[in-house]
Amino acid sequence: MNQTMTLSICQFPIAFLDWQTNKKMALQYIIQAKKEGADLIIFPEMTLTGISKTVSAMADVYGESITFFRSAATTHHIAIGFGFGKPIGEKLENHYTVIDKSGTMLSDYVKLHPFTYGGEDLCFVRGNSFQTFSFNGFTAATFICYDMRFPEIFQAASTEADLILLCANWPASRSMHWKILSQARAIENQVYFAACNCIGDIGNLYYSGDSALYAPDGTILKSLSDHSGLITCTITNNVSAIRKGFPVKQDRLTEYYKAIL
């Protein structure tokens, strides 16, 4: 029998560099997600601060994010995905971490692609690997924002993963790209794809949200655009059957692609 899980995607207006306000909002959504039966709730990139060009204001020097979300996870018996900036020398690593309801860290990913066009390379170092983790009958992988534009990493992850979580601070000015690429990543990798974005005016940029959960064929299962809130949806891990029924991935010429890149 295929296993199921209930996932909540939280789209909320990050209070710019205001840790305490964001903690209060996050906790409200965690409680709401639990009431809606969620096994896992995911938040946008850099959850408690948003993206700034001031490293010191984003720096999670004492592990405050992990401490806060671990406490929330164990108190409310729900797994939580969240982002934060870990100091590395004079810059930060852009982390996305998933902690289960017992407080165990399931995954800790560092963003592979800082957004150089927006100056992120001046504040963030890049990661050097991705990982997958098991949760409620799914194998999942996490990626962050600008990673979306590099399809090769999703192909690599989807050799194992049947669920991909992409969490971001993606501005409204490129919302068309966000929506099209999210759907494309679901279709071309034949995975469930959870696209989690923030919303509102944050640090002199406007974010339209457009969070959504896509099925492996690209169908939009639920979406949220112009307001804050939760997308909560129960999904069944039927990915192997979908891939068997339409076996696109078996026709990939991986070694050839490596040779021509």
Side-chain angles (χ1 to χ4, degrees):
M1 179 180 292
N2 292 328
Q3 292 186 267
T4 63
M5 68 170 286
T6 301
L7 171 66
S8 283
I9 300 171
C10 181
Q11 178 170 290
F12 86 113
I14 299 172
F16 192 54
L17 302 178
D18 186 343
W19 293 70
Q20 298 310 312
T21 295
N22 291 320
K23 283 182 182 180
K24 291 176 183 177
M25 286 196 291
L27 187 57
Q28 291 173 359
Y29 284 116
I30 289 166
I31 293 170
Q32 181 183 341
K34 181 63 179 179
K35 288 180 179 178
E36 294 182 9
D39 302 300
L40 167 66
I41 178 173
I42 59 173
F43 287 95
E45 174 187 16
M46 297 293 289
T47 308
L48 298 180
T49 60
I51 298 287
S52 166
K53 293 185 178 180
T54 306
V55 170
S56 60
M58 295 185 290
D60 193 339
V61 178
Y62 302 108
E64 186 173 350
S65 296
I66 290 177
T67 299
F68 169 73
F69 284 110
R70 176 172 280 141
S71 175
T74 56
T75 299
H76 299 285
H77 307 290
I78 186 172
I80 304 172
F82 58 94
F84 65 96
K86 179 179 179 179
I88 299 292
E90 295 182 355
K91 296 185 179 181
L92 304 173
E93 289 178 333
N94 187 338
H95 281 250
Y96 201 83
T97 300
V98 181
I99 289 177
D100 73 11
K101 64 183 180 180
S102 70
T104 300
M105 186 180 292
L106 300 178
S107 177
D108 185 32
Y109 166 72
V110 178
K111 188 176 183 179
L112 282 167
H113 303 93
F115 184 39
T116 57
Y117 178 82
E120 284 188 12
D121 57 316
L122 302 177
C123 299
F124 296 96
V125 299
R126 72 175 187 86
N128 55 28
S129 65
F130 68 86
Q131 57 190 291
T132 59
F133 64 96
S134 297
F135 183 78
N136 279 38
F138 284 78
T139 300
T142 60
F143 291 105
I144 301 173
C145 203
Y146 189 50
D147 286 338
M148 179 93 88
R149 294 184 180 273
F150 303 92
E152 296 87 351
I153 57 175
F154 296 91
Q155 285 293 339
S158 65
T159 60
E160 299 179 33
D162 32 54
L163 169 64
I164 290 177
L165 312 173
L166 188 291
C167 299
N169 285 194
W170 192 291
S173 58
R174 292 180 288 277
S175 64
M176 180 184 71
H177 297 185
W178 166 261
K179 288 183 272 190
I180 291 173
L181 292 175
S182 295
Q183 190 170 40
R185 296 294 166 263
I187 293 169
E188 66 196 9
N189 294 287
Q190 295 179 300
V191 293
Y192 285 96
F193 194 93
C196 177
N197 197 17
C198 55
I199 189 166
D201 292 299
I202 307 168
N204 298 317
L205 287 174
Y206 179 70
Y207 300 85
S208 56
D210 303 309
S211 298
L213 179 61
Y214 297 85
D217 65 355
T219 300
I220 300 174
L221 299 176
K222 280 192 177 180
S223 62
L224 191 62
S225 57
D226 59 353
H227 61 279
S228 58
L230 292 180
I231 295 169
T232 301
C233 192
T234 300
I235 54 177
T236 300
N237 193 348
N238 55 356
V239 171
S240 60
I242 290 169
R243 291 177 177 176
K244 184 177 180 180
F246 189 49
V248 176
K249 293 178 80 66
Q250 73 177 18
D251 292 327
R252 288 186 58 78
L253 304 175
T254 303
E255 294 306 315
Y256 174 73
Y257 305 146
K258 290 178 182 178
I260 63 174
L261 284 174

